[in-house]
């Protein structure tokens, strides 16, 4: 998401005069790690950390939904500082996915001009979405993911989206690819078909 978010912010600045940006990440992982001894500073586990350094992005406008499994203490401390919103998988189970999405949206939209949404398919339990690179047991269900996206899609503030972690060769059934398509269509549907309302 980092290079895409960088381009998104540059484009929004040039095209719409936007200066402040929010970020929502639906993911089992924070992706807030610093340098990795194999990949350096720019790798799939550092996206959110790098995004927090983009001009116009403040951690108080960053939110994560569905954090699950192991997380480095340094990542947790980084993401949890500066007013960021972290909603773990157990908290999603307690409050419901729609409420989690509303809380994340409230944080991400506070005083910003545009919000970017990144969806990592490994947030879904691996038994229901096996075509991802990072195995996640006990993740959310596909229905919960679609409900979160549907809730977020109602916001006019979200102007950019990506879906990451899809690896079709790991899922010969194709169910994960179909889930990725359903996620995008759920987000796009109100923008494509509710124009006259």
């Amino acid at each position: 998401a980092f290079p895409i978010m960088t381009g998104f912010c540059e484009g929004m600045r040039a095209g719409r005069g936007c200066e402040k940006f929010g970020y929502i990440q639906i993911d089992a992982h924070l992706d807030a790690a610093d340098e990795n001894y194999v990949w350096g500073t720019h790798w799939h586990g550092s996206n959110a950390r790098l995004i927090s350094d983009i001009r116009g992005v403040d951690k108080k406008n960053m939110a994560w939904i569905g954090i699950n499994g192991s997380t480095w203490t340094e990542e947790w401390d980084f993401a949890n500082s500066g007013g960021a919103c972290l909603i773990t998988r157990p908290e999603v189970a307690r409050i419901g996915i729609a409420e989690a999405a509303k809380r994340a949206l409230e944080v991400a939209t506070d005083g910003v001009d545009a919000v970017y949404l990144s969806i990592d398919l490994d947030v879904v339990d691996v038994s229901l979405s096996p075509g991802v690179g990072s195995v996640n047991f006990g993740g959310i269900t596909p229905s919960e993911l679609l409900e979160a996206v549907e809730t977020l899609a109602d916001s006019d503030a979200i102007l950019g989206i990506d879906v990451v972690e899809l690896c079709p060769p790991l899922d010969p059934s194709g169910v994960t690819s179909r889930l990725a398509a359903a996620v995008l269509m759920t987000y796009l549907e109100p923008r494509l078909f509710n124009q006259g309302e």
Side-chain angles (χ1 to χ4, degrees):
F2 168 63
I4 302 171
M5 177 74 172
T6 300
F8 170 77
C9 293
E10 289 173 0
M12 288 289 118
R13 265 193 287 276
R16 295 192 179 198
C18 298
E19 290 298 329
K20 295 186 177 180
F21 304 96
Y23 177 74
I24 298 172
Q25 181 169 310
I26 303 177
D27 194 346
H29 308 99
L30 292 170
D31 295 343
D34 200 356
E35 188 166 359
N36 180 281
Y37 69 93
V38 175
W39 295 298
T41 56
H42 290 65
W43 58 293
H44 67 274
S46 67
N47 274 301
R49 188 181 201 106
L50 295 169
I51 285 168
S52 73
D53 289 332
I54 295 173
R55 181 168 59 95
V57 176
D58 192 309
K59 268 198 280 186
K60 71 181 181 65
N61 296 119
M62 296 180 73
W64 287 261
I65 302 171
I67 303 303
N68 188 27
S70 62
T71 298
W72 296 107
T73 303
E74 187 270 338
E75 273 191 272
W76 182 262
D77 291 345
F78 172 83
N80 207 28
S81 66
C85 174
L86 280 71
I87 304 171
T88 63
R89 174 62 178 123
E91 189 170 357
V92 168
R94 284 194 301 275
I95 67 174
I97 194 71
E99 179 61 25
K102 288 174 188 173
R103 289 184 188 182
L105 193 59
E106 186 177 328
V107 166
T109 58
D110 186 23
V112 305
D113 303 308
V115 174
Y116 188 86
L117 171 63
S118 183
I119 301 167
D120 188 326
L121 293 173
D122 72 18
V123 73
V124 175
D125 188 271
V126 69
S127 67
L128 304 169
S129 179
V132 297
S134 297
V135 173
N136 176 30
F137 296 106
I140 66 174
T141 66
S143 296
E144 286 176 310
L145 176 56
L146 293 173
E147 184 179 352
V149 173
E150 187 174 347
T151 301
L152 295 170
D154 284 339
S155 172
D156 292 333
I158 298 177
L159 299 177
I161 183 174
D162 68 47
V163 178
V164 300
E165 192 78 31
L166 176 63
C167 184
L170 295 178
D171 179 13
S173 73
V175 70
T176 313
S177 297
R178 289 181 178 89
L179 175 59
V183 164
L184 286 173
M185 288 309 301
T186 299
Y187 173 78
L188 292 171
E189 186 269 334
R191 288 157 174 78
L192 296 174
F193 302 114
N194 297 341
Q195 298 290 329
E197 293 182 6

